[in-house]
């Protein structure tokens, strides 16, 4: 909420074939894929190259190394997903990975190589070294910068610092654009389009401690929800096991790749307690590692456990320059010092429910990247499958949008409501207080480990914040309203799923149950439903 209070003043309507909302890797890939064949607009509430994927460290998983195979990548992804992966979607993900990586390279992305061969690293629960990285631990930054440079060389229109206020639908219910607010001029316009591709990223900022940057406020899920789209899997929120846990420092991500290179997690006595939870220790899947660290913190009352990078010695600084430099700012030299770490909110597995072509349940609306629930992650995402999901399903979204646009007439401008009248100014101190209340409630009640009473408390505060910010307020009030809607969806889904599975752990329902083998699907003005998987559990 760094901008002054503002009201909304409509300035008109523009039309494109495709509008992409979000400029992380999913948004930029979708835009680049479509740009040579359609009039494309990209809308982002930040700068073009400041999508959340910019902060991704570890890399992008793809079976490209000798001795690896998409079948092995498939098996690892399914095993991590705890019975809830959509196998057809995972098959698409792993099979299309090598082609999408080649395309990124053609678009100017420089992955790290050795002797002209792509370097691949290991991350938890991958059975092979298959994580491509760039600039050591700045993979997201390298991909994001290369794609942003590329998009600027196309004819695509770029609306930076434009916040999406609502999705537009015509009288048939088809999504036909988005109402946006220019944060610099305080004016509002309608961007009409035959197809809308939502690629607005995640929601980590709904929790007090998160590895996510400021724009990750969960607005995309709420936009789609308000327009009537189905959302799925909202109870599955991945907490990264190792975020920096130091008084006065942000919960900066300490990549899983650090453990992949041999770093150990130890408790205050120097003991590798993760081996008690899983023989793979630090390389167990993310749900196991995060929950074992949480249990150790409960047992000891400590605020952090420690990452010991001693086995990496001098190589630690070379391989992980971003982590090394950031930790140095806080007086920690990863080559010598133990790094205090604890779990923090990292990735929203659930989101807008999509099919194989990234199409949502609303005609004309596609979703890809973290805002989507494509089914590839099941109940627990495998490390570095997120950037991969973004590029694979953004590519599919763009192609499907182009195909459907060729069949559908452009939306008539008069088919949608005009921009809503200017509203009152935001009351910033009140909004900040409400936002902080929501983040605390989500951390305490809808965190890594939950139960019904905590979830109900968080849900009540989500409802209170939503009621206080319902869309009659200024632009920042609408942003917080969207956050409150998404937070409420997480709480409702987590309350509904009365079992523990993958990233969703409930102390009042600690067992996994076959009764819950399916996706929990929600839609505005309809009751939730479990879409049962008809195959046997893994
Ligand atoms: C990391 O580098 O540990 C994050 C990678 C991911 O979330 O997939």
């Amino acid at each position: 909420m760094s901008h002054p209070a503002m009201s909304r003043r409509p300035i008109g309507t523009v039309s494109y074939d495709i509008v992409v909302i979000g400029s992380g890797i999913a948004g930029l890939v979708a835009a680049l894929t479509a740009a040579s064949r359609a009039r494309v607009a990209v809308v982002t509430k930040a700068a073009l190259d400041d999508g959340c994927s910019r902060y991704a460290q570890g890399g992008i998983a793809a079976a490209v190394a000798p001795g690896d195979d998409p079948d092995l990548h498939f098996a690892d992804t399914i095993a991590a997903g705890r019975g809830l992966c959509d196998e057809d979607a995972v098959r698409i993900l792993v099979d299309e990975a090598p082609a999408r990586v080649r395309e990124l390279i053609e678009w100017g992305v420089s992955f790290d190589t050795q002797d002209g061969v792509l370097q691949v690293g290991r991350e938890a629960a991958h059975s092979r070294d298959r994580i491509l990285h760039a600039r050591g631990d700045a993979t997201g930054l390298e991909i994001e910068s290369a794609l942003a440079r590329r998009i600027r060389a196309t004819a695509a229109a770029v609306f930076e610092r434009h916040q999406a206020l609502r999705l537009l639908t015509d009288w048939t219910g088809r999504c036909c654009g988005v109402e946006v607010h220019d944060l610099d001029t305080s004016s509002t316009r309608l961007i009409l389009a035959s197809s809308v591709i939502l690629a607005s990223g995640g929601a980590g900022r709904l929790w007090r401690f998160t590895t996510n940057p400021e724009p990750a406020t969960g607005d995309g899920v709420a936009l789609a929800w308000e327009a009537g789209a189905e959302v799925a899997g909202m109870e599955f929120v991945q907490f990264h096991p190792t975020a920096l846990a130091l008084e006065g420092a942000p919960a900066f991500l300490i990549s899983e790749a650090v453990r992949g290179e041999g770093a150990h997690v130890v408790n205050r006595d120097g003991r590798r307690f993760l081996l008690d939870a899983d023989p793979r220790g630090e390389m167990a899947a993310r749900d196991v590692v995060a929950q074992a660290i949480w249990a150790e913190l409960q047992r000891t009352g400590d605020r952090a456990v420690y990452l010991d990078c001693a086995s990496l010695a001098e190589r630690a600084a070379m391989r992980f320059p971003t982590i090394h430099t950031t930790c140095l700012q806080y007086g920690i030299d990863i080559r010598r010092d133990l790094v205090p770490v604890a779990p923090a909110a990292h990735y929203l597995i659930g989101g807008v429910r999509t099919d194989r072509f990234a199409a949502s349940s609303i005609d004309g609306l596609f979703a890809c990247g973290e805002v989507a629930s494509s089914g590839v992650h099941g109940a627990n995402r495998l490390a570095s499958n997120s950037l991969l999901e973004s590029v694979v399903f953004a590519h599919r979204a763009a192609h499907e949008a182009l195909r459907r646009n060729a069949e559908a007439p452009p939306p008539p401008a008069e088919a949608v409501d005009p921009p809503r009248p200017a509203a009152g100014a935001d009351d910033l101190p009140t909004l900040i207080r409400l936002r902080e209340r929501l983040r605390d409630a989500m951390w305490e009640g809808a965190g890594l480990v939950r139960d019904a009473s905590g979830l109900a408390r968080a849900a009540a505060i989500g409802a209170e914040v939503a009621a206080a910010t319902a869309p009659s307020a200024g632009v920042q009030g609408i942003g917080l309203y969207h956050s409150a809607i998404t937070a409420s969806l997480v709480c409702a889904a987590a309350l509904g799923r009365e079992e523990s599975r993958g990233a969703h752990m409930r102390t009042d329902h600690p067992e996994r149950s076959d009764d819950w083998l399916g996706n929990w699907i929600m839609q505005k003005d309809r009751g939730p439903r479990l879409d049962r998987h008809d195959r046997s559990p893994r």
Side-chain angles (χ1 to χ4, degrees):
M1 288 185 197
S2 50
H3 312 299
M6 52 187 77
S7 61
R8 293 182 278 128
R9 181 163 51 83
I11 59 164
T13 301
V14 288
S15 286
Y16 293 88
D17 299 319
I18 295 176
V19 59
V20 178
I21 303 171
S23 68
I25 287 169
L28 294 178
V29 167
L32 275 171
T33 305
S36 62
R37 291 168 54 193
R39 294 173 308 133
V40 173
V42 181
V43 173
T44 173
K45 64 182 175 183
L48 183 67
D49 61 355
D50 202 16
C52 295
S53 346
R54 171 191 183 91
Y55 302 90
Q57 294 176 359
I60 179 164
V64 293
D68 200 359
D69 188 292
D71 286 347
L72 296 171
H73 190 181
F74 177 86
D76 293 343
T77 302
I78 297 287
R82 312 291 182 222
L84 288 195
C85 291
D86 178 325
E87 297 197 359
D88 296 338
V90 176
R91 181 44 74 193
I92 288 167
L93 180 84
V94 299
D95 285 351
E96 295 183 6
R100 295 286 75 79
V101 165
R102 278 196 300 277
E103 191 169 55
L104 289 176
I105 294 170
E106 280 161 26
W107 279 337
V109 175
S110 280
F111 289 109
D112 294 334
T113 57
Q114 189 165 25
D115 304 326
V117 176
L118 286 170
Q119 276 187 326
V120 281
R122 180 74 65 100
E123 285 183 0
H126 286 275
S127 59
R128 293 288 186 280
D129 293 353
R130 65 166 70 100
I131 315 301
L132 296 151
H133 47 84
R135 307 187 207 177
D137 57 359
T139 314
L141 177 63
E142 166 62 21
I143 302 178
E144 179 85 16
S145 312
L147 299 185
R149 267 196 309 275
R150 188 90 183 185
I151 207 85
R152 291 212 188 272
T154 70
V158 175
F159 294 87
E160 293 177 293
R161 292 188 42 74
H162 277 66
Q163 184 176 330
L165 301 180
R166 65 175 170 136
L167 296 178
L168 306 172
T169 46
D170 67 16
W171 61 276
T172 66
R174 180 188 164 85
C175 186
C176 59
V178 57
E179 180 178 349
V180 295
H181 181 87
D182 182 335
L183 295 167
D184 292 325
T185 63
S186 298
S187 53
T188 299
R189 60 161 57 99
L190 302 185
I191 302 182
L192 298 182
S194 302
S195 294
V196 176
I197 300 180
L198 192 55
S200 51
R205 286 269 155 178
L206 299 183
W207 285 264
R208 163 65 51 220
F209 298 104
T210 177
T211 60
N212 289 189
E214 223 174 283
T217 55
D219 40 5
V221 172
L223 286 167
W225 168 265
E226 294 278 285
E230 288 181 347
V231 302
M234 291 296 289
E235 63 275 37
F236 296 112
V237 178
Q238 196 164 50
F239 284 72
H240 197 286
T242 56
L244 186 63
L246 202 59
E247 198 66 40
F252 177 76
L253 177 66
I254 310 289
S255 175
E256 200 153 296
V258 178
R259 281 175 276 137
E261 293 284 341
H264 291 156
V265 175
V266 295
N267 64 9
R268 61 158 90 160
D269 304 319
R271 203 171 77 78
R272 288 179 64 194
F273 62 93
L274 290 176
L275 290 167
D276 303 341
D278 189 301
R280 290 173 296 179
E282 287 80 3
M283 298 308 281
R286 200 170 278 179
D287 54 348
V288 172
V289 175
Q291 288 162 17
I293 291 177
W294 177 86
E296 183 67 10
L297 296 179
Q298 295 297 302
R299 189 186 71 78
T300 58
D302 290 346
R303 199 170 160 233
V305 295
Y306 300 92
L307 204 53
D308 180 352
C309 308
S311 62
L312 279 71
E314 290 305 310
R315 199 160 55 83
M318 302 274 290
R319 173 69 177 82
F320 301 109
T322 315
I323 295 171
H324 175 56
T325 318
T326 305
C327 286
L328 274 183
Q329 285 168 21
Y330 295 100
I332 296 168
D333 186 334
I334 61 171
R335 295 169 299 184
R336 283 179 267 288
D337 302 326
L338 293 176
V339 185
V341 290
H346 181 61
Y347 186 88
L348 181 62
I349 293 175
V352 181
R353 188 173 188 229
T354 52
D355 67 10
R356 314 282 175 277
F357 302 99
S360 77
S361 61
I362 296 185
D363 199 18
L365 178 65
F366 299 81
C368 50
E370 192 171 347
V371 73
S373 171
S374 67
V376 296
H377 305 310
N380 178 50
R381 178 173 67 82
L382 191 61
S384 288
N385 266 357
S386 51
L387 292 187
L388 178 60
E389 182 200 24
S390 291
V391 298
V392 166
F393 286 92
H395 178 92
R396 288 184 151 249
H399 278 286
E400 185 65 7
L402 289 167
R403 191 187 70 74
R404 293 191 193 179
N405 282 3
E407 292 167 2
E414 62 274 18
V416 294
D417 299 338
R420 288 169 298 185
D426 285 314
D427 171 5
L428 280 188
T430 302
L431 289 183
I432 290 169
R433 186 179 52 72
L434 288 171
R435 181 190 67 188
E436 297 311 307
R437 186 162 152 73
L438 182 65
R439 295 184 73 196
D440 284 338
M442 291 300 284
W443 182 257
E444 280 153 24
L448 169 61
V449 175
R450 306 94 182 261
D451 65 17
S453 60
L455 285 165
R457 265 196 308 278
I461 290 170
E464 187 186 309
V465 174
T469 53
S472 55
V475 171
Q476 301 197 42
I478 292 177
L480 185 54
Y481 172 75
H482 288 151
S483 291
I485 293 293
T486 300
S488 302
L489 292 171
V490 170
C491 294
L495 267 170
R497 183 175 285 276
E498 295 186 330
E499 64 156 358
S500 290
R501 181 187 295 272
H504 173 64
M505 184 177 174
R506 283 188 55 164
T507 49
D508 49 351
H509 294 282
E511 304 299 331
R512 194 188 304 182
S513 159
D514 285 353
D515 292 347
W516 284 98
L517 199 62
N519 282 335
W520 194 232
I521 295 171
M522 299 187 293
Q523 192 172 14
K524 197 175 177 184
D525 303 328
R526 297 205 185 161
R529 69 188 161 89
L530 187 72
D531 185 29
R532 289 191 58 80
H533 285 205
D534 51 9
R535 53 184 173 271
S536 53
R538 286 165 190 271

